[in-house]
Amino acid sequence: MVPFFAEANPYVRGIVPNIARLAEALRTAGGPVAWVLPANEAPLGSVSAEFYGPEVSATFAATGGSGPPRSRLWPAFDVGPDDLVVEKSAYSAFFPGRSPLPGLLAERAVDTVLVTGALTDVCCESSARDAATTGLRVLMVADANAARRDQDHNAALHTVYRSFGDVRSTDEVLALIAAAPADRARRGGPAATRRCPPRVPGG
């Protein structure tokens, strides 16, 4: 969630409150929150200029902005001192070798991720696919993701739901987070499948 996407798209600005609600709920529950930013390079590497042309490739390479990573997020977000802020040099935050995020989550024994952000059908869907392929449980938050068009957004959610993970609303996810401590207690302690997932915004 960087200004490049939010400034140009009212759909993206519309999901900001839901992302903020999810981040705060996860912090309160003791779960990690991860903010993922595009690195200052084209997402397809050296192929980008061939595929998009040099001008568009240069635009894509600059989408993450400049300056320290925390300063490059959309300013409406409150980033907690313990939140993870990482860069990715591909569309996906989980493609091997293109982001430190998978290793940071593994260190924290995270096995489930909530995917939010922009664009639903590009970075977010790419991250959901790769996260699922690596063995993580994936939950796309329908009203905390945004695309350029409703049909693109809905098609991506349909693909994730059919093949890669679950799709829920913000309110449903907040209810799951709130119920997790009681559920762990009924099961006699923390279960790996019930750890609080990190929120992983794309774009």
Side-chain angles (χ1 to χ4, degrees):
M1 290 292 294
V2 292
F4 179 88
F5 296 102
E7 288 171 351
N9 190 332
Y11 288 127
V12 174
R13 295 193 297 276
I15 65 174
V16 167
N18 284 342
I19 292 175
R21 292 168 65 204
L22 290 163
E24 185 57 33
L26 283 171
R27 292 189 198 103
T28 300
V33 174
W35 304 91
V36 181
L37 301 157
N40 289 312
E41 58 183 277
L44 298 181
S46 60
V47 178
S48 287
E50 292 179 28
F51 189 69
Y52 300 118
E55 185 175 341
V56 173
S57 179
T59 298
F60 283 163
T63 59
S66 60
R70 286 175 180 258
S71 72
R72 289 156 43 196
L73 290 164
W74 184 243
F77 290 121
D78 292 322
V79 183
D82 295 325
D83 291 357
L84 302 173
V85 182
V86 301
E87 291 183 319
K88 60 181 177 66
S89 59
Y91 289 120
S92 168
F94 291 92
F95 193 86
R98 303 300 288 271
S99 170
L101 183 63
L104 293 170
L105 298 185
E107 290 172 3
R108 291 159 174 77
V110 167
D111 64 6
T112 304
V113 292
L114 306 178
V115 179
T116 69
L119 297 169
T120 317
D121 55 324
V122 185
C123 296
C124 299
E125 183 181 347
S126 297
S127 293
R129 287 170 177 255
D130 286 343
T133 301
T134 64
L136 290 165
R137 293 177 177 86
V138 172
L139 200 160
M140 290 278 281
V141 188
D143 54 354
N145 280 272
R148 291 184 178 90
R149 306 182 306 168
D150 284 342
Q151 54 264 51
D152 299 333
H153 173 76
N154 292 330
L157 294 179
H158 178 76
T159 297
V160 170
Y161 184 73
R162 286 292 302 271
S163 301
F164 300 104
D166 199 1
V167 176
R168 301 284 186 112
S169 69
T170 296
D171 287 342
E172 287 176 313
V173 173
L174 291 173
L176 290 172
I177 294 170
D183 188 54
R184 284 198 296 269
R186 285 195 300 272
R187 291 171 178 264
T193 58
R194 297 293 178 176
R195 287 194 183 96
C196 291
R199 190 196 62 76
V200 183

